[in-house]
């Protein structure tokens, strides 16, 4: 429940492929009831994948960070639609001041 709650707090940004700035996704997707698919498809939904392993991340960490907790952030979320991504920061100033590489979801330790 904790992880589901944290995921629900991450803002989602829609940027049309032919635009340099974000926009309204209202016309880009069909309501699920109006779509002809049986479950989900790219016309009516977006899937995000979160696949992080502490042991794999250890290979890319420095010696002093090896046993420190690993923070899983919104940057670890992978979307199946390149126009829809997590909004990691509100602006560049917020990103410069942040200690993490996005919105923190959970911290993981070894084991």
């Amino acid at each position: 429940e904790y992880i589901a709650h944290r995921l629900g707090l991450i803002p989602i940004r829609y940027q049309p492929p032919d635009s340099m700035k974000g926009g309204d996704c209202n016309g880009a997707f069909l309501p699920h009831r109006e779509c002809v698919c049986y479950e989900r498809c790219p016309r009516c939904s977006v899937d995000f994948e979160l696949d992080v392993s502490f042991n794999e991340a250890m290979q890319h960490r420095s010696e002093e960070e090896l046993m420190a907790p690993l923070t899983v952030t919104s940057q670890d979320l992978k979307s199946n639609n390149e126009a829809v991504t997590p909004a990691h920061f509100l602006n560049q100033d917020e990103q410069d001041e942040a200690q993490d590489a996005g919105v923190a979801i959970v911290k993981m330790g070894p084991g």
Side-chain angles (χ1 to χ4, degrees):
E1 287 181 27
Y2 174 80
I3 294 173
H5 174 71
R6 294 293 301 169
L7 288 170
L9 295 175
I10 298 172
I12 304 298
R13 177 177 293 147
Y14 172 74
Q15 182 174 342
D18 57 347
S19 174
M20 294 299 290
K21 63 180 191 174
D24 185 11
C25 67
N26 194 20
F29 297 97
L30 291 172
H32 182 67
R33 292 184 204 125
E34 295 177 17
C35 192
V36 295
C37 69
Y38 289 105
E39 289 190 25
R40 294 187 315 259
C41 72
R43 292 180 304 217
C44 66
S45 66
V46 176
D47 289 330
F48 288 92
E49 181 178 319
L50 183 61
D51 186 17
V52 179
S53 168
F54 183 84
N55 293 335
E56 288 178 22
M58 278 183 42
Q59 299 170 2
H60 307 290
R61 299 176 91 186
S62 65
E63 187 69 34
E64 51 278 346
E65 293 179 320
L66 280 179
M67 297 316 286
L70 171 68
T71 302
V72 179
T73 69
S74 57
Q75 293 218 346
D76 295 311
L77 285 170
K78 305 299 178 218
S79 172
N80 70 339
N81 184 331
E82 61 188 43
V84 181
T85 58
H88 309 295
F89 298 100
L90 184 62
N91 54 39
Q92 188 63 37
D93 292 336
E94 186 178 290
Q95 183 174 353
D96 293 341
E97 294 174 8
Q99 295 178 356
D100 292 323
V103 179
I105 299 170
V106 69
K107 291 190 183 242
M108 294 175 28

